[in-house]
Amino acid sequence: MKIFLIFILSLVYSTFHAQHSFSSHQTHAFDLTQNKIISSQNQTQTFNISFSDSLLIHNKFNDEYHIVYSQIYKITNISKQDKMTLFSARSGISGNTYGYVISFKETETLLMQLFPEENSMLIFDGEHSRLKPFNQP
């Protein structure tokens, strides 16, 4: 029983304190009411997500791969449902809070930004890797 409890606690801890880095080259606008992609845009972006540091760092690049936009968000809420991690990130500039989902599939991990009031989301198409955070879990 003790080993089982330790296993469950470590699984929960690693899920909520996992670190992720996404590099996206194309963004798809997805309409939730129509259940389909309604537009796509080529844009190189990176998202570094550290749950242990409570930070989301978002960078956008131009065609020459120079950073044209960079912002840090504070992660305020984290929850897990099935094979997804849902979290909120608050902008230090506008004070707005944005919802994100990380979906874990068998061969890929997806990052999506939710816009519930518009029944839509953005899907960031690209690669995923682990991130080494400042605060090591």
Side-chain angles (χ1 to χ4, degrees):
M1 182 65 177
K2 192 182 221 183
I3 293 173
F4 178 72
L5 182 59
I6 291 171
F7 172 74
I8 294 298
L9 289 174
S10 66
L11 183 62
V12 167
Y13 182 81
S14 67
T15 297
F16 290 121
H17 289 30
Q19 318 309 314
H20 304 278
S21 186
F22 290 89
S23 177
S24 171
H25 303 289
Q26 192 171 47
T27 303
H28 306 288
F30 190 87
D31 187 310
L32 294 168
T33 57
Q34 297 179 36
N35 202 27
K36 68 177 187 175
I37 293 174
I38 55 173
S39 68
S40 296
Q41 175 185 4
N42 291 330
Q43 173 75 63
T44 300
Q45 305 179 69
T46 59
F47 298 86
N48 296 301
I49 302 161
S50 174
F51 292 120
S52 63
D53 297 315
S54 298
L55 294 175
L56 162 66
I57 301 168
H58 179 205
N59 296 302
K60 288 185 180 182
F61 299 83
N62 64 15
D63 292 338
E64 290 81 37
Y65 299 105
H66 297 128
I67 294 177
V68 294
Y69 170 89
S70 185
Q71 187 173 349
I72 298 174
Y73 298 80
K74 180 170 181 57
I75 295 174
T76 55
N77 292 311
I78 307 166
S79 65
K80 182 158 174 51
Q81 295 178 1
D82 300 320
K83 294 183 178 183
M84 296 184 299
T85 299
L86 294 81
F87 66 97
S88 299
R90 187 178 68 239
S91 167
I93 295 173
S94 68
N96 293 336
T97 299
Y98 302 95
Y100 291 87
V101 175
I102 301 174
S103 173
F104 302 97
K105 296 189 176 183
E106 293 152 14
T107 58
E108 67 180 342
T109 302
L110 297 174
L111 175 65
M112 296 160 281
Q113 184 176 6
L114 301 174
F115 299 95
E117 63 283 347
E118 300 166 8
N119 284 319
S120 66
M121 68 180 172
L122 295 176
I123 302 170
F124 302 102
D125 194 1
E127 298 86 33
H128 169 258
S129 66
R130 300 305 257 168
L131 173 71
K132 293 187 186 244
F134 182 79
N135 291 317
Q136 295 291 310

